[in-house]
Amino acid sequence: MDAAGEELADRVRALLTLGGDVEEKRMFGTRAFLVDGHILVGARSAGVLLVRVHEETGAALVARPGVTTAVMGPRTMGTGWLDVAPEATADDEALAFWLDIAREDADRQE
């Protein structure tokens, strides 16, 4: 992963305060942050944040600036996987917004 991805991973790590229920793993070229074995978010190259949400949540969020349906390799994922551009996570408040959404949707899955 490049420097922008590593910087994003550092920011995510600081906001999630690892331990307890959050685990960090390297998966699919992404620094993934998991809760109970399920991906919550991932820091990707170029500082792109991968966010896992329910399909209906993702369908609404994809209309926000800087948000697209994630692409992994040759495959475009469903609206449950979002790529959030660095400009949409420029400060900690904006990044926390995405972490909160991912965590809320992960809590609903349990």
Side-chain angles (χ1 to χ4, degrees):
M1 186 169 12
D2 62 8
E6 291 295 342
E7 180 183 331
L8 177 60
D10 290 343
R11 292 177 58 215
V12 169
R13 194 178 300 113
L15 289 173
L16 284 179
T17 44
L18 292 181
D21 64 340
V22 179
E23 178 184 5
E24 182 177 345
K25 280 187 175 179
R26 185 130 175 102
M27 302 173 74
F28 316 113
T30 298
R31 178 82 55 199
F33 296 86
L34 298 87
V35 173
D36 296 326
H38 300 284
I39 296 175
L40 188 66
V41 296
R44 302 180 82 180
S45 292
V48 172
L49 182 70
L50 175 67
V51 181
R52 175 73 173 124
V53 293
H54 283 278
E55 293 280 332
E56 60 273 7
T57 303
L61 291 170
V62 79
R64 295 177 65 100
V67 180
T68 59
T69 303
V71 176
M72 294 186 193
R75 183 173 169 200
T76 299
M77 308 302 286
T79 56
W81 296 95
L82 303 176
D83 275 341
V84 181
E87 56 271 13
T89 61
D91 59 38
D92 285 348
E93 183 179 338
L95 179 56
F97 167 82
W98 291 104
L99 299 178
D100 289 345
I101 285 186
R103 191 178 279 274
E104 286 171 16
D105 273 19
D107 289 343
R108 285 182 19 199
Q109 293 177 18
E110 294 178 2

